Amino acid sequence: MIRFAVIGTNWITEQFIDAAREAEEFVLTAVYSRTEEKAREFAEKHGIPNLFTDLEEMARSDVFDAVYIASPNSLHAKQAILCMNHGKHVLCEKPMASNVREVQAMIEAAQANRVVLMEALKSTLLPNFRAVQERAAGIGPVRRYFASYCQYSSRYDAYKQGTVLNAFNPAFSNGALMDLGVYCIYPLVVLFGKPERVQADAVLLESGVDGEGSILLKYKGMDAVIMYSKITHSFVPSEIQGRTAPSLSIKSTMPRRWSSDAGTVPPTT
């Protein structure tokens, strides 16, 4: 049995709880929110016996073994390190932190306290991605990786009307790359490793976050092109292009479904 706490009371936390409860070893024992009203409402809805509005108090408590963190991106590192320093394992929503310095500090805290630190980004660990890995080996030397994830944000209309919600607020380390671009980058790095050169550009909104962007990455014998956006929509498929056989065509909503010309790989949820 693993006793879990959750930090954050949004929709993605609810999805995590619904999925985690499919595992018999999972027990949800605590929730943290900045306000007691929201913490109590969430606790009653999901049958959580312990609620906290003080993160230090929660981290010191003995009512949970591991925590799922789904707070704004800018808070991930501080909250994760606090919990790990009190011996708690951490499953942290993507992106793990705001920058590489924070990620390194999180790794050091995990090692020092001998606890598990994981990022909650599952797309490269699923059977459908493994099928892509196997098929990529059969198309000869790969010459190009092209990935696109452009999805018009439901919050962009509010932004255009002058309301800057969290998704477009740089104070929370948000933006299109942090939210969607990572889904294009992770498969690339898992498949082909670290690039030799990176060139990137983006359209910055008035709030300071990137609304959309493009990345060109150079590898020996191949290149990679990534497009991502929260202010435009696209149905352009992603591809892995090889020299000796038809390319693998990857559905543009990469974290949800992958397909190839040999047949669609069923999505895994």
Side-chain angles (χ1 to χ4, degrees):
M1 180 181 72
I2 301 178
R3 301 173 304 161
F4 259 88
V6 293
I7 296 176
T9 55
N10 52 35
W11 66 270
I12 199 168
T13 307
E14 295 194 332
Q15 285 198 336
F16 166 76
I17 292 171
D18 290 343
R21 280 179 166 160
E22 295 292 321
E24 295 180 358
E25 299 86 357
F26 175 86
V27 180
L28 184 57
T29 59
V31 58
Y32 165 83
S33 180
R34 288 174 297 174
T35 66
E36 183 174 352
E37 179 183 2
K38 185 170 288 187
R40 190 171 302 282
E41 178 184 353
F42 198 83
E44 291 176 353
K45 180 178 181 180
H46 295 282
I48 306 172
N50 302 284
L51 61 91
F52 296 89
T53 57
D54 185 315
L55 202 57
E56 289 271 1
E57 179 185 355
M58 178 178 169
R60 291 194 305 267
S61 76
D62 61 357
V63 299
F64 70 101
D65 310 303
V67 59
Y68 169 71
I69 298 177
S71 56
N73 301 336
S74 58
L75 302 178
H76 288 178
K78 181 179 179 180
Q79 293 175 344
I81 291 171
L82 173 63
C83 290
M84 288 188 289
N85 285 342
H86 285 86
K88 307 301 194 295
H89 305 289
V90 170
L91 176 61
C92 186
E93 256 307 327
K94 65 85 187 168
M96 184 179 287
S98 300
N99 52 61
V100 67
R101 295 184 300 277
E102 290 184 351
V103 171
Q104 186 58 47
M106 294 165 74
I107 293 172
E108 291 172 358
Q111 293 172 338
N113 294 286
R114 302 180 65 84
V115 294
V116 173
L117 169 65
M118 293 182 63
E119 186 176 27
L121 203 163
K122 65 181 182 179
S123 55
T124 60
L125 305 174
L126 297 175
N128 47 11
F129 179 75
R130 298 303 170 93
V132 171
Q133 286 180 297
E134 294 171 1
R135 295 179 186 182
I139 65 173
V142 173
R143 295 307 188 196
R144 175 173 290 117
Y145 169 101
F146 170 72
S148 171
Y149 196 0
C150 302
Q151 181 174 286
Y152 189 94
S153 172
S154 60
R155 298 172 177 85
Y156 188 47
D157 287 339
Y159 176 86
K160 290 188 293 184
Q161 297 299 319
T163 301
V164 181
L165 301 174
N166 286 3
F168 293 101
N169 190 338
F172 296 117
S173 300
N174 279 322
L177 178 61
M178 299 290 258
D179 189 18
L180 301 182
V182 292
Y183 287 114
C184 301
I185 294 172
Y186 273 58
L188 172 67
V189 175
V190 171
L191 288 168
F192 304 108
K194 183 178 180 180
E196 298 176 352
R197 188 172 69 249
V198 178
Q199 180 180 344
D201 204 352
V203 173
L204 296 182
L205 304 179
E206 293 84 354
S207 69
V209 304
D210 58 327
E212 63 90 31
S214 304
I215 308 174
L216 179 62
L217 307 100
K218 181 63 178 177
Y219 289 81
K220 184 177 181 179
M222 65 164 279
D223 60 20
V225 181
I226 288 173
M227 301 190 314
Y228 58 90
S229 177
K230 288 175 68 70
I231 60 174
T232 59
H233 202 78
S234 174
F235 297 95
V236 175
S238 300
E239 291 185 332
I240 299 175
Q241 301 172 6
R243 186 179 67 181
T244 59
S247 300
L248 292 172
S249 178
I250 306 169
K251 190 174 177 63
S252 59
T253 49
M254 297 176 66
R256 299 176 189 147
R257 180 171 174 166
W258 296 70
S259 63
S260 75
D261 45 18
T264 298
V265 182
T268 302
T269 57

